[in-house]
């Protein structure tokens, strides 16, 4: 509105609303963001078909014969990624199945396009009596919950740019990102850019430009590079969704892995509700339900527990994340879950996360679990992750041995095989 336009808000299906608007305003083109997954692609198809039903009156001097020029067109614009799809050194069908190969190739052969400046003036708007209004939470049939714990995210571009400024420049946290990114408690262990990236309120190319400015004006180190490293992971999963299509959502994943999964609802609900008897799992799941967010480290741990220790169908976990996450997007969410379940395109990313090891490494004082599970606060710090009978009964034994009261696995094989997984953060 500051630039002379306005936002028209209408309620309904895009394939019905957009052709109607195109007809009313005699629009020759509808511009939209290009998507990659099947549900979104189906909407694009329906909108395109709807526009073909609209016949525009010919402009003065134009032939009156019916042709494609007499119908509004749908023009889709690629966005969302740091590297533009047209700049990749290979076609999406030839996309490497190993992330490192993809990363090294794009880093050496591609340039990142600069952000397009927003025009100072966009008006004048068409003459519309009722522009509508953004619906309230109540109008959408929901109710607003007060977030008393964890970070409270505010939507929109202004909040997104404010967070970038705060994290990079005001608090000067970019220089330590790689050292802190595996944290789980508080607002500043990681960038927290992901909800704004997922909603389109923040451009990954803008983050790239700010990182480069920071490197020039302050310092360049492993941490400044690692922010870009994570954005390349995010790009990779989006391009993989083009290559592999709906196999991202299939039980066997892109590699069509045959495995027997349980869909036991009682077991799943224990995981979903944070009632597994393992404080590190339960605390993460309660944070997700309360805030719509979970740390990258937490996501990998609860995924591994669901599929490795509980043997539950990974798609049930992915769907619950889809339900809860503020930063949900189908490519990153299902891409990460296929990797975590061992059905992703790279079999070497098939990893098990040992809960005792993760707890000792990333929550050694039990601060995180005590924050989300107040009943553990009275316990000594070293017992909070390993409370024994002071906490609810464990729903399943661990795949590689049970947790003793000291937090050790009683199986020697656990110490050999329960290694840590690689970081796939995508700017969380």
């Amino acid at each position: 509105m500051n630039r002379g336009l306005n936002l028209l808000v209408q309620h309904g299906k895009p394939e019905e609303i957009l052709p109607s608007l195109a007809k009313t305003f005699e629009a020759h083109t509808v511009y939209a963001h290009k998507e990659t997954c099947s549900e979104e692609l189906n909407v694009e198809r329906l909108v395109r078909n709807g526009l073909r039903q609209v016949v525009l009156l010919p402009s003065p001097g134009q032939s009156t014969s019916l042709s494609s020029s007499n119908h509004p067109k749908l023009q889709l614009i690629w966005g969302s990624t740091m590297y533009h799809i047209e700049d990749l050194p290979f076609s999406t069908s030839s996309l490497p199945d190993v992330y490192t190969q993809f990363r090294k190739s794009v880093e050496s052969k591609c340039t990142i396009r600069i952000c397009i400046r927003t025009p100072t003036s966009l008006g004048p708007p068409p003459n519309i009596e009722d522009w509508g209004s953004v619906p309230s939470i109540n109008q959408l049939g929901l109710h607003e919950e007060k977030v008393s714990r964890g970070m409270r995210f505010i939507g929109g571009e202004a909040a997104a740019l404010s967070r970038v400024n705060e994290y990079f420049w005001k608090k000067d946290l970019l220089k330590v990102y790689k050292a802190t990114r595996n944290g789980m408690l508080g607002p500043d262990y990681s960038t927290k850019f992901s909800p704004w990236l997922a909603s389109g309120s923040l451009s990954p190319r803008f983050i790239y430009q700010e990182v480069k400015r920071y490197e020039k004006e302050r310092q360049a180190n492993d941490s400044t590079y690692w922010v870009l490293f994570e954005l390349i992971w995010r790009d990779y999963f989006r391009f993989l969704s083009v290559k592999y299509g709906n196999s991202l959502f299939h039980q066997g994943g892109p590699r069509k892995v045959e495995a027997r999964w349980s869909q036991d609802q009682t077991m799943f609900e224990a995981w979903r509700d944070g009632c597994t008897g393992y404080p590190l799992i339960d605390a993460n799941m309660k944070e997700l339900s309360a805030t719509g967010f979970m740390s990258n480290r937490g996501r990998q741990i609860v995924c591994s527990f669901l599929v490795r220790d509980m043997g539950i169908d990974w798609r049930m976990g992915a769907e619950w994340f889809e339900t809860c996450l503020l930063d949900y997007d189908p490519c990153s969410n299902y891409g990460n879950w296929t990797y975590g379940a061992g059905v992703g395109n790279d079999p070497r990313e098939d990893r098990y996360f040992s809960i005792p090891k993760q707890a000792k490494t990333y929550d050694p004082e039990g601060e995180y679990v005590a924050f989300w599970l107040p009943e553990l606060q009275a316990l000594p710090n070293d017992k909070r992750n390993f409370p024994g009978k002071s906490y609810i009964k464990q729903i399943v034994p661990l795949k590689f041995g049970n947790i003793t009261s000291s937090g050790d696995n009683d199986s020697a094989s656990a110490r050999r095989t329960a290694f840590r997984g690689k970081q796939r953060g995508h700017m969380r």
Side-chain angles (χ1 to χ4, degrees):
M1 290 175 74
N2 290 338
R3 291 173 169 82
L5 269 183
N6 204 337
L7 178 67
L8 178 62
V9 180
Q10 294 199 0
H11 181 261
K13 295 181 178 180
E15 60 266 28
E16 296 169 0
I17 298 286
L18 295 176
S20 173
L21 289 174
K23 183 176 183 179
T24 299
F25 297 105
E26 300 181 345
H28 57 78
T29 310
V30 173
Y31 296 90
H33 185 284
K34 180 79 183 90
E35 290 295 343
T36 64
C37 292
S38 58
E39 290 182 5
E40 292 79 7
L41 294 178
N42 188 48
V43 175
E44 291 176 2
R45 182 181 61 80
L46 292 172
V47 169
R48 187 175 279 111
N49 290 343
L51 292 173
R52 289 195 186 113
Q53 307 306 312
V54 177
V55 179
L56 299 176
L57 294 173
S59 56
Q62 186 182 7
S63 169
T64 56
S65 62
L66 291 177
S67 68
S68 60
S69 61
N70 291 98
H71 306 286
K73 297 179 181 61
L74 176 62
Q75 186 163 333
L76 299 171
I77 311 297
W78 183 263
S80 185
T81 55
M82 188 165 66
Y83 288 100
H84 196 287
I85 193 169
E86 292 175 1
D87 298 338
L88 297 180
F90 31 66
S91 65
T92 49
S93 61
S94 303
L95 196 77
D97 279 331
V98 177
Y99 167 72
T100 303
Q101 294 175 7
F102 169 81
R103 176 181 59 79
K104 289 181 177 179
S105 183
V106 295
E107 284 180 330
S108 62
K109 298 174 182 175
C110 302
T111 23
I112 294 165
R113 301 183 184 188
I114 62 170
C115 291
I116 299 169
R117 288 185 178 275
T118 306
T120 54
S121 176
L122 294 167
N127 186 23
I128 295 176
E129 284 187 19
D130 182 12
W131 286 88
S133 59
V134 177
S136 67
I137 294 292
N138 292 334
Q139 286 174 314
L140 292 172
L142 303 168
H143 63 279
E144 191 166 358
E145 294 184 18
K146 289 187 177 179
V147 178
S148 58
R149 294 166 176 260
M151 182 167 171
R152 184 174 185 270
F153 291 93
I154 299 170
E157 185 185 41
L161 297 178
S162 175
R163 175 60 182 174
V164 175
N165 182 63
E166 176 187 56
Y167 188 86
F168 281 12
W169 303 101
K170 189 177 178 182
K171 294 185 176 179
D172 201 22
L173 294 169
L174 177 55
K175 65 185 178 186
V176 295
Y177 169 74
K178 192 177 181 185
T180 64
R181 76 191 195 282
N182 279 312
M184 292 188 286
L185 191 60
D188 293 334
Y189 61 82
S190 66
T191 67
K192 304 293 193 302
F193 295 161
S194 58
W196 292 292
L197 282 164
S199 66
S201 300
L202 181 62
S203 164
R205 283 194 257 163
F206 176 76
I207 298 173
Y208 171 81
Q209 288 179 189
E210 287 294 282
V211 167
K212 289 302 172 184
R213 183 162 76 91
Y214 183 95
E215 289 180 336
K216 185 178 180 181
E217 296 180 14
R218 294 195 179 173
Q219 63 173 291
N221 61 14
D222 285 350
S223 288
T224 59
Y225 169 71
W226 214 257
V227 166
L228 304 181
F229 177 91
E230 300 290 11
L231 285 172
I232 300 172
W233 257 115
R234 184 176 172 275
D235 277 15
Y236 184 55
F237 276 130
R238 193 160 187 89
F239 296 133
L240 278 177
S241 73
V242 179
K243 179 178 181 179
Y244 284 111
N246 274 350
S247 65
L248 274 182
F249 310 107
H250 295 167
Q251 190 179 67
R255 289 190 294 118
K256 299 178 173 61
V257 176
E258 291 189 14
R260 296 184 67 180
W261 300 92
S262 166
Q263 293 188 350
D264 185 294
Q265 195 64 27
T266 302
M267 294 269 282
F268 171 74
E269 287 174 3
W271 176 84
R272 180 196 69 190
D273 298 336
C275 299
T276 67
Y278 294 92
L280 191 60
I281 301 299
D282 296 347
N284 271 289
M285 297 309 294
K286 288 186 183 298
E287 179 184 11
L288 176 63
S289 293
T291 69
F293 191 83
M294 188 191 293
S295 68
N296 179 60
R297 178 57 49 180
R299 296 182 201 207
Q300 295 181 84
I301 294 168
V302 301
C303 169
S304 175
F305 180 78
L306 183 74
V307 300
R308 310 283 179 208
D309 295 308
M310 299 182 81
I312 299 291
D313 190 329
W314 66 270
R315 296 171 301 171
M316 296 172 73
E319 285 179 359
W320 182 242
F321 271 35
E322 178 176 351
T323 301
C324 296
L325 285 174
L326 291 172
D327 62 14
Y328 170 76
D329 85 70
C331 312
S332 291
N333 184 60
Y334 283 87
N336 267 306
W337 272 94
T338 59
Y339 269 51
V343 300
N345 47 289
D346 184 356
R348 298 179 305 169
E349 291 286 344
D350 187 0
R351 299 175 185 274
Y352 176 85
F353 286 74
S354 160
I355 293 176
K357 182 174 180 59
Q358 297 294 313
K360 284 184 169 183
T361 304
Y362 299 108
D363 191 29
E365 300 298 315
E367 289 180 89
Y368 176 74
V369 295
F371 184 84
W372 290 105
L373 305 168
E375 62 267 36
L376 299 177
Q377 289 174 0
L379 296 179
N381 291 5
D382 62 345
K383 297 291 185 185
R384 288 172 171 176
N385 269 292
F386 314 104
K389 293 183 179 179
S390 301
Y391 189 55
I392 59 176
K393 185 180 177 182
Q394 294 168 355
I395 193 164
V396 290
L398 295 178
K399 185 177 181 181
F400 293 108
N402 293 320
I403 298 179
T404 66
S405 58
S406 64
D408 294 325
N409 282 48
D410 61 12
S411 165
S413 66
R415 289 188 288 275
R416 291 195 298 271
T417 59
F419 46 83
R420 291 182 297 155
K422 286 183 180 178
Q423 179 81 359
R424 298 190 304 279
H426 321 319
M427 304 317 306
R428 287 178 191 137

